[in-house]
């Protein structure tokens, strides 16, 4: 009663095109991750150098009786900035 038809046309090679596209997307993604990794390492080195430079500036410019107070305030600011960055990234990753 119902008639079924089968498709007997040869494939046009669209599977090859999709695998090339998938490979291109994958390569682009890995290249983006590599660039992100390099930039992250550069940023890490810059942050570490900045931290030690500010510590040296505090030692040089602030009187000895206030150095620990300024160093503690600076460390608190760095800790708060890191906490904000971590919470922002966690919200981005997990909604």
């Amino acid at each position: 009663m119902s008639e079924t038809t089968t498709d007997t046309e040869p494939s046009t090679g669209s599977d090859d095109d999709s695998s090339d596209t998938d490979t291109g997307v994958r390569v682009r993604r890995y290249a983006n991750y590599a660039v992100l990794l390099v930039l992250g390492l550069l940023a890490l080195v810059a942050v570490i150098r900045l931290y030690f430079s500010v510590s040296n500036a505090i030692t040089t410019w602030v009187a000895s009786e206030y150095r620990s107070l300024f160093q503690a305030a600076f460390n608190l600011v760095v800790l708060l900035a890191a906490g904000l960055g971590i919470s922002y990234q966690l919200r981005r990753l997990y909604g």
Side-chain angles (χ1 to χ4, degrees):
M1 307 213 190
S2 82
E3 196 173 307
T4 44
T5 60
T6 58
D7 188 14
T8 59
E9 293 179 18
S11 75
T12 59
S14 64
D15 291 338
D16 292 337
D17 292 340
S18 67
S19 67
D20 289 343
T21 304
D22 291 343
T23 302
V25 168
R26 195 173 321 135
V27 168
R28 190 176 316 127
R29 182 183 311 139
Y30 290 148
N32 285 332
Y33 283 141
V35 168
L36 183 64
L37 178 67
V38 169
L39 291 174
L41 288 173
L42 285 173
L44 179 66
V45 169
V47 164
I48 290 171
R49 291 186 58 134
L50 174 68
Y51 181 82
F52 287 120
S53 293
V54 171
S55 294
N56 286 336
I58 289 172
T59 302
T60 302
W61 291 342
V62 176
S64 61
E65 59 266 8
Y66 299 113
R67 283 185 192 149
S68 61
L69 179 65
F70 274 83
Q71 196 68 43
F74 175 65
N75 288 337
L76 180 63
V77 168
V78 169
L79 181 64
L80 290 174
L84 286 173
I86 290 169
S87 67
Y88 175 75
Q89 284 298 87
L90 286 175
R91 273 187 269 144
R92 275 184 59 197
L93 288 174
Y94 300 112

